[in-house]
Amino acid sequence: WNTRLRRSYLLPKLKDNGVKIAVFIHDVLSITHPQYSHQNTAFFFMDYIGAYMIYADLIITSTETTLEAINKLTLDLGLKEKKGAVVTFGSDFKKDEREEGAVSPYVINKLKRKKYALIVGTIEPRKNHAVALRAFEKKLFSRDISLVFAGRFGWNIEEFKKEIENHPQLNKKLIHISGANDATIDYLYKNAYVTLFPTFNEGFGLPLIESIERGTPMIASNCQVLREIGKDF
């Protein structure tokens, strides 16, 4: 949606030439929860999703929750509901012999003999890392449990970024890991005491599936999409 060629320009030309159009929509959170998106994303996504809601022959999503949100948005705009399909995600990490055993020595050394809670994902307002940090500051750091953020800093997060970078527990009981490869993320999941997913909302919620797959318990937000993919877990 950030490309210079707007879908509102492209799609009608394709339709005029008899092209069938299918699109995979991961989520519509930029519309339903714009407060968690970068302002440019929210602006350009409106053009993107609006064009597909008019011209697409098939809309594919990864969850029923997202498809329901798209159908509701369609009805709210007075448009005709599109044919939809749900194709869920897997979570198997790429198997590459060059990556076997390539876990970051820094991570191994930093977390050796530590009991830690893990949050995997970009650090941004929607992921709600702050609520986890507050819980650890209040009780859990004093109980000798560490908190690991595995993910880069994203958007609209400048104040929280400064807080992390100046936190008295940084590199002690608060660990931030950015740019980790698959082997390191796999190691983090497998050795975590628990994983956390305090997100306000998701299109899918892959960390929940990745944690379940590795047998690591997760404490997650009680939102519809996570109930859908997490099921009885």
Side-chain angles (χ1 to χ4, degrees):
W1 45 87
N2 286 321
T3 59
R4 299 177 76 176
L5 183 62
R6 303 264 68 85
R7 300 306 199 282
S8 55
Y9 170 83
L10 174 65
L11 299 191
K13 291 188 177 299
L14 294 177
K15 292 297 287 186
D16 287 345
N17 284 277
V19 176
K20 296 289 186 181
I21 299 172
V23 60
F24 186 98
I25 303 294
H26 183 64
D27 64 68
V28 289
L29 297 178
S30 294
I31 304 296
T32 59
H33 297 75
Q35 67 271 35
Y36 301 127
S37 296
H38 189 283
Q39 60 188 20
N40 289 345
T41 300
F43 179 79
F44 290 119
F45 189 78
M46 289 176 68
D47 176 273
Y48 175 90
I49 189 66
Y52 280 112
M53 290 167 69
I54 294 171
Y55 297 107
D57 297 286
L58 173 66
I59 293 178
I60 307 167
T61 66
S62 59
T63 62
E64 293 286 353
T65 300
T66 298
L67 189 57
E68 288 172 11
I70 292 172
N71 289 338
K72 182 180 183 304
L73 186 59
T74 302
L75 293 173
D76 288 346
L77 294 173
L79 299 172
K80 184 179 178 182
E81 189 173 304
K82 296 293 181 181
K83 181 180 178 182
V86 176
V87 180
T88 193
F89 290 150
S91 68
D92 52 321
F93 282 28
K94 181 181 177 183
K95 301 296 185 289
D96 188 335
E97 291 182 3
R98 293 169 297 179
E99 287 288 312
E100 287 297 321
V103 180
S104 165
Y106 168 82
V107 169
I108 295 174
N109 181 63
K110 209 70 182 171
L111 297 177
K112 189 163 43 180
R113 292 187 293 276
K114 270 189 170 70
K115 180 187 286 188
Y116 65 90
L118 170 69
I119 301 182
V120 175
T122 303
I123 301 174
E124 50 155 312
R126 180 169 56 84
K127 301 293 184 178
N128 199 19
H129 289 68
V131 77
L133 183 56
R134 300 294 167 260
F136 274 75
E137 289 170 339
K138 186 173 182 179
K139 288 279 187 182
L140 298 173
F141 283 141
S142 64
R143 295 183 181 183
D144 205 28
I145 303 176
S146 298
L147 177 60
V148 177
F149 292 158
R152 65 180 177 85
F153 287 110
W155 44 92
N156 299 342
I157 204 75
E158 289 75 18
E159 287 187 20
F160 189 59
K161 180 181 179 183
K162 287 179 183 177
E163 182 181 349
I164 292 174
E165 291 173 339
N166 295 291
H167 200 283
Q169 291 288 357
L170 184 63
N171 294 322
K172 298 172 185 175
K173 292 183 179 178
L174 174 61
I175 312 296
H176 176 223
I177 299 163
S178 184
N181 61 13
D182 282 355
T184 300
I185 294 294
D186 184 54
Y187 175 90
L188 288 169
Y189 273 123
K190 287 178 177 176
N191 290 279
Y193 177 67
V194 66
T195 54
L196 307 177
F197 203 6
T199 179
F200 285 109
N201 214 328
E202 292 292 315
F204 185 79
L206 194 56
L208 175 54
I209 300 298
E210 293 174 341
S211 188
I212 289 172
E213 185 182 53
R214 286 158 182 78
T216 303
M218 170 172 276
I219 301 170
S221 300
N222 186 27
C223 52
Q224 183 178 342
V225 70
L226 297 187
R227 291 197 300 271
E228 178 185 340
I229 69 165
K231 297 183 169 52
D232 294 338
F233 291 97

